[in-house]
Amino acid sequence: MDTRLLQLGCHLRYSSQLPTAAVFQFVPKRDPRIVFDEESLDVSEGVDLHEYHDLHGNLCHRLVLQTGVTEVVYTVRAAVPDAEDPRDPDARELAPGDLPDEALVFTMPSRFVTSDVLSGQAWKLFGQHEPGMARVEAISGWTKNYLTYVTGASHSRWTALDSFTSGIGVCRDFAHLMITMCRALNIPARYCAGYLPDMDVPPIPTPMDFHAWVEVYLEGGWWTFDPRHDRRRKGRVKVGHGRDALDVAFATTYGGPWLQYFTVTAEEIVG
């Protein structure tokens, strides 16, 4: 399969009045389809990093932000397949009793996924659809059309119910609402975050950021859906997955440091 080369990474600068513990997730999950090289992770002098894998297998980095300014810079090159997200139109839904053990947690409500509250709405909207890939595609398309993308529309406590009620959100809210509808129908769905360059699509004029999408468990494994765009894309590089955005936050701080500077790089290297 042909590949294309991406430059990925992020640059964070925090200012803190006191030493502040933090956990970061920005290093991509290793994927046999992707070759990574020229990887580097630099932090301010005197700051120690500790790696660990969380309950979902995501690579996390722990550190203590020092008093004053702490900078974190991560870069990597990734050779990715020149292909869109895979799809099998005949993939079937599996009954709850036939699901693998590890998929069961992704059928249950979580902090931002209010599938118990919106269960009636989900069955009303999608209960009559033919089960399988077509029904999940219908949920993705509905989410894309139902929500209006508004920068800064939601806050850290914003749930799928808030998005459903207001009709607005950002990419994480599109993902939460789609996941909610799937879980209400007993379809395992998990939240994903990572890098998504503008490959073979018109560039989005807003600054690059980490992107959120959805993986749904159907026959054949986990399948990628992106309700924000509702189209298959090239160059998607996952950092992590979990029950919702709480599990895959790019930064978790145990205090209130000031994020002075934040950029994300996800672009194709041409030439």
Side-chain angles (χ1 to χ4, degrees):
M1 180 182 294
D2 293 336
T3 60
R4 293 162 72 173
L5 194 60
L6 304 179
Q7 185 68 52
L8 308 174
C10 61
H11 184 175
L12 312 171
R13 182 190 300 130
Y14 282 94
S15 177
S16 182
Q17 295 182 338
L18 297 168
T20 304
V23 179
F24 294 109
Q25 290 189 50
F26 45 66
V27 176
K29 277 183 173 289
R30 271 25 192 181
D31 184 324
R33 302 169 302 170
I34 301 175
V35 177
F36 298 99
D37 67 2
E38 298 188 18
E39 187 171 31
S40 68
L41 175 54
D42 299 310
V43 297
S44 297
E45 185 176 357
V47 176
D48 293 326
L49 280 175
H50 166 66
E51 290 186 358
Y52 75 97
H53 288 86
D54 67 11
L55 293 174
H56 301 288
N58 305 318
L59 179 60
C60 303
H61 287 85
R62 295 181 62 180
L63 57 80
V64 176
L65 302 172
Q66 58 194 0
T67 301
V69 174
T70 302
E71 290 198 78
V72 180
V73 181
Y74 173 73
T75 62
V76 68
R77 285 162 47 121
V80 300
D82 186 13
E84 296 178 338
D85 302 318
R87 189 73 91 249
D88 178 358
D90 297 321
R92 299 177 300 112
E93 293 176 25
L94 299 182
D98 295 328
L99 291 170
D101 297 340
E102 61 272 17
L104 290 177
V105 68
F106 299 111
T107 65
M108 301 176 186
S110 58
R111 173 67 178 82
F112 300 117
V113 176
T114 52
S115 52
D116 50 345
V117 179
L118 290 173
S119 176
Q121 294 290 342
W123 283 100
K124 179 180 177 180
L125 289 165
F126 306 109
Q128 301 306 311
H129 282 68
E130 183 69 23
M133 183 67 73
R135 174 151 65 174
V136 178
E137 288 177 334
I139 297 171
S140 178
W142 172 86
T143 306
K144 164 69 174 174
N145 293 326
Y146 184 80
L147 292 182
T148 299
Y149 187 94
V150 178
T151 301
S154 58
H155 51 71
S156 60
R157 299 179 301 280
W158 190 271
T159 70
L161 178 60
D162 295 313
S163 296
F164 183 80
T165 302
S166 67
I168 60 175
V170 295
C171 65
R172 66 167 249 165
D173 306 311
F174 282 70
H176 284 152
L177 187 55
M178 179 178 175
I179 292 169
T180 294
M181 294 297 167
C182 288
R183 291 187 191 173
L185 300 170
N186 298 320
I187 305 170
R190 63 191 185 188
Y191 181 96
C192 299
Y195 300 94
L196 182 65
D198 296 325
M199 290 177 62
D200 298 343
V201 297
I204 297 175
T206 55
M208 182 61 67
D209 200 346
F210 291 111
H211 186 58
W213 62 89
V214 178
E215 288 180 347
V216 174
Y217 194 89
L218 298 171
E219 182 182 32
W222 292 99
W223 300 89
T224 297
F225 292 85
D226 192 337
R228 165 70 177 94
H229 303 293
D230 193 38
R231 63 180 296 175
R232 296 159 65 193
R233 292 284 293 267
K234 294 181 179 181
R236 198 183 302 273
V237 178
K238 183 166 70 171
V239 168
H241 63 249
R243 294 164 295 181
D244 54 36
L246 192 66
D247 288 336
V248 204
F250 84 87
T252 301
T253 59
Y254 294 82
W258 173 33
L259 181 58
Q260 289 184 325
Y261 181 78
F262 171 59
T263 61
V264 174
T265 300
E267 58 190 18
E268 185 174 8
I269 300 172
V270 180

